[in-house]
Amino acid sequence: MPDRLPRRAGATAPDAIIVGAGPNGLAAAIRLAESGLRVVVFEANEAPGGAVRSLPLTRPGFVHDVGAAVFPLGVGSPFFSSLPLERYGLRWRWPEVPLAHPLDGGRAAVLDRSLEATAAGLGRDGAAYRRLVGPLARRWDALGGEILRPLLHVPRDPLVLAGFGLRALVPAQALARVAFREAPARALWAGLAGHSGLPLAAPGSSAVALVLAALAHRVGWPVPEGGAQALTDALVAHLRALGGEVVTGVRVEHLGELPEARAVLLDVSPEAFLRLAAGRLPGGYRRALRRFRRGPGTFKVDWALDAPILWANAACGRAGTVHLGGTLAEIAAAERAVARGRVPERPFVLVAQPTLADPPRAPAGRHVAWAYCHVPNGSTADQTRAIEAQVERFAPGFRDRILARHTASPADLEAADANLVGGDLTGGAQTLRQLIARPTVTTPYNTPLAGVFLCSASTPPGGGVHGMCGVHAADAALADVFR
């Protein structure tokens, strides 16, 4: 096979090569470089970051996040929080409140940074919310260390992990109905669980809700100043300060194209690994990768706005994130339809309003916002009207504020980041089975190929911008190859 990858005259051979410069690939590279190893990262796109990038998608002067926009796990990650990223320009900006969830008739549930303020706003359900989320928020540092790793491990804090697990295993729909009595608290829980991409009747669908709620009270839901690109730029700058290298515009088609290195870490999907290995994998492992299930697809809309969104409930105008979908029953129906391969007429919509916390992303007086909803994986349905109808439902007159829009189908998202297969933002369905077998039960980062490791979101702990998939894969390489 022809050698198509750059070989620099006189350059020292790397100890480790990373394929893919998303947050997990960069985290893996930094972990290895911190150990004194020579690391090179190859990225197919012309810029690093994967889905953690920012571009002027609509009009000049309007900065939009290509994928992730709000980063509770970015600031709450045990690894990212240990790095001196502020040295490279990363600044976090917090909206007044992390989340609001409006209901018809002008009501809204508000997830405040303060646990007590959130509980007070939920009225009769406040005490139940405090009991459910409070212990996890107070012990986030211990909890994060337990859940942001493979599910099968010897816990350092078994009581904290058990307290989380007993709650997390309960389907979100059932937990909301048992724990809460009124519509606002139930809807708030449904919206939080909707981030999982699972139907709300699925076991384990409460896990994401618990994590996001605990993070809201422990660290908030911030945005990076200037856009998501600032996080990627800081990670790349830190890697280079450690002696690492990032080479963009290089698409790896086969592992045999790579220069010699003692270890290769792949921030790629299981589907891509099958192609890269090209018949070198044993049959059982190949079958395991082919059984890997994808999560739902995503349809996304970015807007340039001539003013902030005027919500019927003023609390939504203070929230960095707004969940749209109405009641628990409505959100459950929308996510159930997606799981059954149907496009919902009234989707559950997640809206981000980053310029509330970071105004310079748009010209003076203007704003940016984005929204997405789940669709069946690989769907070609255009959900622009359905998404904007949900915004209009809770913010009458919204469409009049749109200066320009940019839409991205599942195919568009995959074209921008090959790991978003079929528009799946989570690196694979986050079912109970795939929390254990991600993508295989034992040694999820190691592969049957000596010195080759997986480090994408298709390994534990799964989706989210936290870098921990890369960290654990790097640790596996350090133990197995570099000892």
Side-chain angles (χ1 to χ4, degrees):
M1 182 166 295
D3 174 15
R4 300 189 302 106
L5 300 188
R7 295 180 186 268
R8 298 138 297 159
T12 304
D15 295 305
I17 290 172
I18 317 294
V19 177
N24 285 310
L26 293 173
I30 290 170
R31 184 71 143 202
L32 295 173
E34 286 177 332
S35 298
L37 300 175
R38 296 180 296 276
V39 181
V40 175
V41 182
F42 290 118
E43 167 58 43
N45 289 324
E46 295 301 324
V52 185
R53 292 185 294 138
S54 304
L55 291 170
L57 296 175
T58 56
R59 289 186 174 185
F62 290 83
V63 178
H64 301 274
D65 292 327
V66 172
V70 182
F71 293 87
L73 278 169
V75 71
S77 163
F79 184 64
F80 287 162
S81 62
S82 74
L83 303 178
L85 299 181
E86 68 284 349
R87 185 183 304 166
Y88 308 103
L90 179 64
R91 303 286 184 271
W92 294 108
R93 294 289 176 257
W94 282 263
E96 189 174 343
V97 295
L99 169 70
H101 187 122
L103 294 166
D104 293 322
R107 294 181 299 166
V110 177
L111 184 67
D112 195 275
R113 281 288 301 273
S114 162
L115 174 68
E116 293 304 319
T118 302
L122 294 176
R124 291 199 304 160
D125 288 320
Y129 178 86
R130 190 186 298 108
R131 288 192 299 271
L132 181 64
V133 176
L136 304 179
R138 287 189 289 272
R139 297 295 307 280
W140 168 257
D141 291 345
L143 177 62
E146 296 292 354
I147 63 175
L148 294 177
R149 62 174 58 244
L151 185 62
L152 301 179
H153 71 277
V154 178
R156 297 174 183 174
D157 199 327
L159 292 179
V160 168
L161 184 59
F164 172 79
L166 291 173
R167 297 167 171 86
L169 287 172
V170 181
Q173 192 168 2
L175 190 151
R177 287 174 173 165
V178 170
F180 306 124
R181 292 177 287 179
E182 298 185 341
R186 289 180 170 184
L188 180 67
W189 197 253
L192 290 167
H195 284 256
S196 70
L198 296 172
L200 301 194
S205 52
S206 287
V208 168
L210 289 164
V211 169
L212 291 175
L215 282 165
H217 303 309
R218 180 68 179 84
V219 299
W221 289 13
V223 300
E225 183 178 274
Q229 188 72 49
L231 175 57
T232 293
D233 290 348
L235 291 170
V236 170
H238 184 52
L239 173 61
R240 287 175 172 155
L242 294 169
E245 184 177 358
V246 178
V247 183
T248 58
V250 176
R251 185 173 297 279
V252 180
E253 301 289 354
H254 188 277
L255 292 178
E257 298 175 338
L258 293 172
E260 290 295 325
R262 296 173 65 189
V264 174
L265 285 78
L266 304 171
D267 184 4
V268 304
S269 67
E271 296 90 337
F273 183 36
L274 284 167
R275 294 192 299 271
L276 289 169
R280 293 172 56 189
L281 299 172
Y285 190 82
R286 287 201 309 272
R287 288 190 292 274
L289 295 188
R290 287 172 179 151
R291 285 195 300 268
F292 192 73
R293 282 185 52 202
R294 280 284 146 198
T298 305
F299 191 94
K300 177 174 175 282
V301 185
D302 289 274
W303 297 291
L305 303 172
D306 68 359
I309 301 172
L310 186 60
W311 300 95
N313 185 289
C316 299
R318 301 185 288 117
T321 302
V322 182
H323 288 166
L324 306 178
T327 64
L328 165 65
E330 289 178 277
I331 295 171
E335 296 300 283
R336 183 169 60 248
V338 173
R340 293 177 177 175
R342 302 197 305 268
V343 176
E345 293 182 12
R346 274 189 154 184
F348 167 56
V349 175
L350 299 95
V351 177
Q353 306 181 105
T355 37
L356 295 183
D358 189 18
R361 295 197 198 188
R366 305 294 196 237
H367 285 263
V368 298
W370 74 226
Y372 75 79
C373 70
H374 292 135
V375 293
N377 191 273
S379 171
T380 59
D382 187 334
Q383 286 288 80
T384 307
R385 291 183 64 180
I387 287 173
E388 292 184 354
Q390 287 286 58
V391 183
E392 189 81 20
R393 173 183 172 186
F394 299 103
F398 163 72
R399 291 191 184 93
D400 297 334
R401 302 191 169 212
I402 299 173
L403 297 172
R405 68 170 61 81
H406 175 273
T407 63
S409 68
D412 295 327
L413 293 171
E414 185 175 350
D417 180 352
N419 282 356
L420 307 183
V421 178
D424 175 9
L425 299 181
T426 58
Q430 302 194 100
T431 61
L432 287 181
R433 180 186 181 280
Q434 288 195 176
L435 289 178
I436 299 171
R438 194 170 184 90
T440 59
V441 175
T442 57
T443 59
Y445 314 102
N446 302 67
T447 77
L449 304 182
V452 177
F453 303 83
L454 283 176
C455 67
S456 70
S458 297
T459 64
V465 181
H466 43 64
M468 296 306 295
C469 306
V471 170
H472 296 313
D475 287 343
L478 288 168
D480 290 2
V481 176
F482 301 105
R483 303 193 187 279

